Amino acid sequence: MESHEESEINGPHSMGTTIIGVTYNGGVVLGADSRTSTGIYVANRASDKITQLTENVYLCRSGSAADSQTVSDYVRYFLHQHTIQLGQPATVKVAANLVRLLSYSNKNMLQTGMIIGGWDKYEGGKIYGVPLGGTLLELPFTIGGSGSTYLYGFFDQAWKEGMTQEEAEQLVVKAVSLAIARDGASGGVVRTVTVNSEGVTRKYYPEDKLPRWHEELEPQNSLLDILSSSSPEPMVS
């Protein structure tokens, strides 16, 4: 019989994750951390959770790595057929609806939440969320994965309409790094994908280039240091 420790190592690969999609004035920015785990063990510290579906549409994956990869493979195949039939790239809405259809039709078997983002000539930059169960939500910004619980209040305060591309990218990197600092299942590097009328830009932010937060910082004039230096020496009997 398999021990608890062995079951943790050989268990399903799960992306306890932070994934983000943000619209800005001209396109979208998608971002994600890179930690993939099996139970309490980190199986991959530099995985890529932002998957290309078409030239202009990308998918952020969270939850079961196997489930999200399978959905993205099927959607990519159907979109390829769709593009051949129409003779032009599929829209972001078509891609999102295919993800929704597969997720909803298999909602009792899939454990994955996804964010679809991209740009097309009809509607510009669009972000869609497909959480567990297969609901389709068109949103100006959306967050998902285990790290998202730490970010709702932050986004309520930080997101604004009409952001520039630079502002949107900085917001995404800051948000993912905040989640990494608080969520044990999120970690590694931060990857972003920016999609607009000019094309796609991928960026990579290694751990040593991310901002540090709270307990990660070196203590400065800590109250404990002050108290310990001013406390009297213990008496020796």
Side-chain angles (χ1 to χ4, degrees), residues 25-227:
N25 186 22
V28 301
V29 179
L30 300 171
D33 72 310
S34 65
R35 177 173 292 175
T36 300
S37 57
T38 58
I40 62 173
Y41 294 91
V42 176
N44 188 344
R45 60 179 296 276
S47 58
D48 188 354
K49 302 177 184 178
I50 309 177
T51 300
Q52 185 178 24
L53 297 179
T54 70
E55 290 184 359
N56 59 311
V57 183
Y58 282 73
L59 174 78
C60 290
R61 303 178 291 114
S62 70
S64 166
D67 290 355
S68 62
Q69 286 171 348
T70 300
V71 170
S72 61
D73 286 345
Y74 272 106
V75 171
R76 191 185 304 111
Y77 169 76
F78 289 132
L79 288 175
H80 179 65
Q81 299 300 314
H82 181 83
T83 300
I84 291 173
Q85 291 172 359
L86 289 184
Q88 62 181 7
T91 64
V92 185
K93 182 180 288 186
V94 166
N97 269 295
L98 276 171
V99 174
R100 187 268 311 166
L101 180 63
L102 283 170
S103 296
Y104 184 77
S105 300
N106 300 280
K107 59 182 176 294
N108 294 325
M109 293 176 284
L110 295 177
Q111 293 293 320
T112 178
M114 292 160 285
I115 295 172
I116 303 93
W119 182 94
D120 62 67
K121 62 182 180 181
Y122 300 103
E123 296 188 284
K126 287 290 181 180
I127 292 288
Y128 294 89
V130 181
L132 287 172
T135 302
L136 181 64
L137 302 167
E138 180 185 344
L139 299 162
F141 69 87
T142 186
I143 49 182
S146 56
S148 65
T149 56
Y150 301 91
L151 296 177
Y152 284 101
F154 169 74
F155 264 94
D156 287 340
Q157 186 272 330
W159 186 84
K160 60 183 180 182
E161 289 189 22
M163 285 189 295
T164 64
Q165 178 178 330
E166 183 179 1
E167 288 174 331
E169 289 178 349
Q170 289 176 353
L171 173 62
V172 169
V173 174
K174 183 176 182 180
V176 177
S177 66
L178 277 166
I180 287 174
R182 290 297 184 189
D183 177 34
S186 299
V189 304
V190 175
R191 303 180 193 274
T192 63
V193 173
T194 302
V195 190
N196 53 37
S197 60
E198 299 176 358
V200 178
T201 305
R202 270 188 174 269
K203 293 185 180 179
Y204 161 85
Y205 301 84
E207 290 179 88
D208 60 347
K209 300 299 182 182
L210 296 177
R212 299 297 178 185
W213 308 99
H214 308 298
E215 288 89 346
E216 297 176 319
L217 297 172
E218 290 294 326
Q220 300 292 329
N221 298 324
S222 167
L223 178 60
L224 292 176
D225 294 337
I226 297 171
L227 291 174

Side-chain angles (χ1 to χ4, degrees), residues 2 5-14 37-39:
E2 195 174 47
E5 185 171 335
E6 288 173 334
S7 68
E8 290 285 3
I9 296 174
N10 299 323
H13 283 57
S14 173
S37 57
T38 58

